[in-house]
Amino acid sequence: MASGLTVAVRGLTKRFGDRAVLHGLDLDIAPGEFVALLGRSGSGKSTLLKVLAGLDRDVTGEFTVDGKVSVAFQQPRLLPWRRVWRNVVLGLHPVVGKDVALAALAEVRLADHADAWPRTLSGGEAQRVSLARALVREPGLLLLDEPFGALDALTRIAMHRLVESLWLRHKPAVLLVTHDVDEALLLADRVLVLDEGRIASEYVLGHPRPRELSDHIDVRTQVLADLGVNERATA
Amino acid sequence: MSVSTLGAPARADSAPPSLTVKKSRRKLPDLRRWISPLVIVALWQIACETGLLPPDKLSSPWTVLQSGIELAGTGELGDAFVVSTTRVGIGFGIGALIGIVLGIVAGLSRWGNYLVDPPVQMLRTLPFLGLIPLFILWFGIGEEPKIALVALGVAFPLYLNVHAGIRNVDSHLIEATTALGYTRSERLFHVVLPAALPNTLVGLRQSLGVAWLSLIVGEQVNASSGLGYLINNAREFLRTDVIVVGLVVYAALGLATDAIVRLVERRALRWRAA
């Protein structure tokens, strides 16, 4: 398959019984590219992410992923019996020293929580630890499965900035699965809309960063229409 | 948008309490809780001295204390203590091994669950103390039936709790570590067993309680040494003081082993303490 790509998917099909959730899906992601994947619920966004993460192997079609893969899920999924820094080094095989964890935690500004138990963290803090765990692996591909969905609005805004700065520093290819159109337009180089098991439409966003919500108003209307949401003309 | 605080959540951090809470919790025990137990012991003493309680029914606390010191001095109590503790220790070891191994097998593998769980659940419904006559026929009247009884009593609570602990592991955590490239055996070590630990410790406490109970019953039936023998022997001579000494030692042993497990619990489950 074509080299030079971090992700190359050809004709990927995933069936649950008679229903094909993914139906001959093609997808390329270049190294360091930030791709957002939108779709209605049940459109197979999370299924695609699971396949790329190696969590679902019961598929047909071909795909290659170049480099390590990390996932940050909607819930942080920290091991409650491991202190924060030990949760971070879970991302590495074999387990390494605390200094590596501290460096990763410093990047998400949680170095002073290294010895805390996960239960003492707020939702946003736990999600940042989850990001540190994902990034400490230096992944070629970072999969984000609605990682901000469970956070309050203020924390979410801060997380957007954080993810963008971490991405700019580490430059992994990112596939962000979300149902938040604004989030996608704020962060992604390219926005994909998944429908009927395939990539139905694609928008390349050229606006320099950091972006404002108003930067891609035109695209926003189209994407929403793709998702079946028709905004009223009177705004 | 003019957000300058990069990523810092808009709420107070929750780090400091973990230190301060610990200190403020180490208060002195509430002495008010000692009032009624002490009053009961005092009433017991008065009842004995006024002749309301004759010594062949129940000796006074003071007599019990003196007998205890005397029995300890002659070494009788120490010997009985060692014999009984050894019985519980060996029986507990065997029963715990069986319960934990079966619990892990049934918890981890589907076929293990199909094959192991039904017979264990059936046996569990037997009143196991009723097996004493069979055990005597099988093992004679030496140490074996007592140890077997303890082992049997210990195995079930541990099996049930280990099994449940493993079955209830959060599948999201399994998925997260799988995505990080952890193999099945690594997940067992890093996720499944730690997740099953709280339940296992609950099972451990239950099974220790059952262990002492089984021992007491086993030693009542027949014994030529140990605390049960001491008690039965004292009954022959209407020595209620010695009987109470034996009971107090049983109780102290039960409390001591429970305290040990609680200590282990506090150390091992710090991560979820409230």
Side-chain angles (χ1 to χ4, degrees):
Chain A
M1 218 179 278
S3 61
L5 291 170
T6 298
V7 176
V9 180
R10 293 291 175 275
L12 186 72
T13 298
K14 167 70 191 178
R15 292 178 179 282
F16 289 109
D18 289 342
R19 203 169 78 90
V21 176
L22 301 175
H23 193 69
L25 180 138
D26 296 336
L27 170 67
D28 290 336
I29 301 178
E33 190 183 16
F34 199 129
V35 175
L37 184 65
L38 291 161
R40 278 173 277 197
S41 52
S43 61
K45 307 187 294 281
S46 291
T47 305
L48 175 59
L49 184 133
K50 278 193 177 171
V51 172
L52 293 177
L55 293 171
D56 188 343
R57 296 176 196 280
D58 182 24
V59 291
T60 56
E62 293 176 59
F63 71 95
T64 56
V65 177
D66 188 33
K68 283 189 193 166
V69 182
S70 285
V71 193
F73 299 92
Q74 178 166 8
Q75 299 299 328
R77 303 194 186 185
L78 306 178
L79 300 185
W81 46 85
R82 297 276 177 107
R83 291 184 191 275
V84 163
W85 77 268
R86 288 193 179 277
N87 262 290
V88 172
V89 293
L90 270 182
L92 290 168
H93 272 87
V95 169
V96 292
K98 192 175 181 178
D99 49 332
V100 179
L102 285 175
L105 282 168
E107 283 197 297
V108 295
R109 280 176 306 286
L110 280 173
D112 52 338
H113 287 53
D115 291 314
W117 296 109
R119 75 179 152 79
T120 64
L121 303 177
S122 70
E125 288 167 343
Q127 200 53 273
R128 275 145 67 198
V129 175
S130 167
L131 272 178
R133 179 174 70 183
L135 285 169
V136 78
R137 286 155 66 78
E138 291 295 337
L141 174 64
L142 175 61
L143 300 169
L144 302 174
D145 189 5
E146 304 189 25
F148 321 117
L151 303 176
D152 66 85
L154 289 174
T155 309
R156 196 177 314 144
I157 291 167
M159 284 291 281
H160 289 158
R161 300 291 183 189
L162 179 66
V163 164
E164 186 170 59
S165 72
L166 290 171
W167 168 68
L168 287 169
R169 192 167 331 148
H170 295 267
K171 271 289 179 175
V174 176
L175 182 64
L176 167 67
V177 167
T178 179
H179 50 232
D180 181 342
V181 175
D182 293 329
E183 183 172 290
L185 297 177
L186 212 51
L187 293 173
D189 295 323
R190 193 149 57 99
V191 173
L192 308 175
V193 178
L194 189 62
D195 194 29
E196 310 217 314
R198 266 177 255 221
I199 305 298
S201 46
E202 171 177 73
Y203 302 90
V204 177
L205 309 179
H207 206 279
R209 297 161 190 275
R211 294 183 187 146
E212 307 287 327
L213 279 178
S214 55
D215 289 344
H216 290 287
I217 283 294
D218 47 335
V219 183
R220 185 176 192 273
T221 311
Q222 287 179 48
V223 171
L224 282 171
D226 289 344
L227 292 166
V229 181
N230 287 307
E231 287 182 301
R232 282 184 295 167
T234 51
Chain B
M1 227 190 306
S2 58
V3 180
S4 57
T5 50
L6 274 176
R11 52 164 281 186
D13 285 350
S14 48
S18 59
L19 273 174
T20 47
V21 165
K22 214 178 212 169
K23 281 200 177 130
S24 63
R25 269 174 141 209
R26 294 206 175 271
K27 286 188 299 190
L28 287 169
D30 194 343
L31 292 177
R32 285 172 297 186
R33 294 187 58 82
W34 285 88
I35 296 173
S36 50
L38 289 175
V39 167
I40 290 171
V41 171
L43 286 176
W44 175 10
Q45 180 72 36
I46 292 166
C48 289
E49 278 178 24
T50 55
L52 204 66
L53 263 180
D56 60 337
K57 299 294 180 212
L58 192 60
S59 298
S60 73
W62 181 244
T63 317
V64 169
L65 185 67
Q66 284 175 316
S67 305
I69 292 168
E70 188 193 319
L71 284 168
T74 61
E76 267 180 275
L77 195 59
D79 292 345
F81 176 89
V82 169
V83 168
S84 290
T85 311
T86 308
R87 284 171 186 155
V88 162
I90 296 173
F92 179 81
I94 296 170
L97 190 71
I98 294 172
I100 290 174
V101 168
L102 288 182
I104 289 177
V105 169
L108 286 183
S109 100
R110 189 181 312 189
W111 272 105
N113 192 37
Y114 284 143
L115 297 177
V116 173
D117 200 48
V120 175
Q121 296 289 355
M122 286 180 214
L123 284 174
R124 185 171 77 90
T125 60
L126 277 181
F128 75 99
L129 294 175
L131 291 175
I132 290 174
L134 268 185
F135 276 21
I136 290 174
L137 287 177
W138 292 348
F139 302 115
I141 53 166
E143 294 301 293
E144 292 89 346
K146 300 172 190 68
I147 290 172
L149 201 64
V150 172
L152 192 70
V154 163
F156 290 114
L158 267 173
Y159 168 84
L160 292 173
N161 282 287
V162 170
H163 186 223
I166 291 177
R167 289 265 138 177
N168 293 337
V169 172
D170 183 356
S171 62
H172 285 130
L173 296 182
I174 298 281
E175 199 176 64
T177 43
T178 308
L180 291 171
Y182 281 62
T183 63
R184 205 177 141 84
S185 55
E186 286 171 326
R187 292 198 301 270
L188 176 68
F189 179 73
H190 290 289
V191 185
V192 177
L193 293 183
L197 189 62
N199 274 65
T200 305
L201 288 172
V202 169
L204 193 65
R205 280 183 75 179
Q206 287 177 1
S207 64
L208 275 169
V210 176
W212 288 110
L213 189 70
S214 317
L215 178 83
I216 292 167
V217 174
E219 288 189 338
Q220 294 292 315
V221 172
N222 63 81
S224 52
S225 59
L227 288 166
Y229 170 76
L230 199 73
I231 291 175
N232 269 342
N233 216 24
R235 192 194 61 208
E236 308 264 326
F237 301 99
L238 303 179
R239 290 287 303 271
T240 55
D241 51 337
V242 176
I243 293 177
V244 174
V245 169
L247 291 177
V248 167
V249 174
Y250 272 140
L253 282 169
L255 283 176
T257 46
D258 197 59
I260 291 170
V261 180
R262 276 210 311 258
L263 198 73
V264 171
E265 232 168 32
R266 262 213 300 281
R267 293 285 307 166
L269 302 184
R270 269 175 306 169
W271 51 271
R272 63 166 205 175

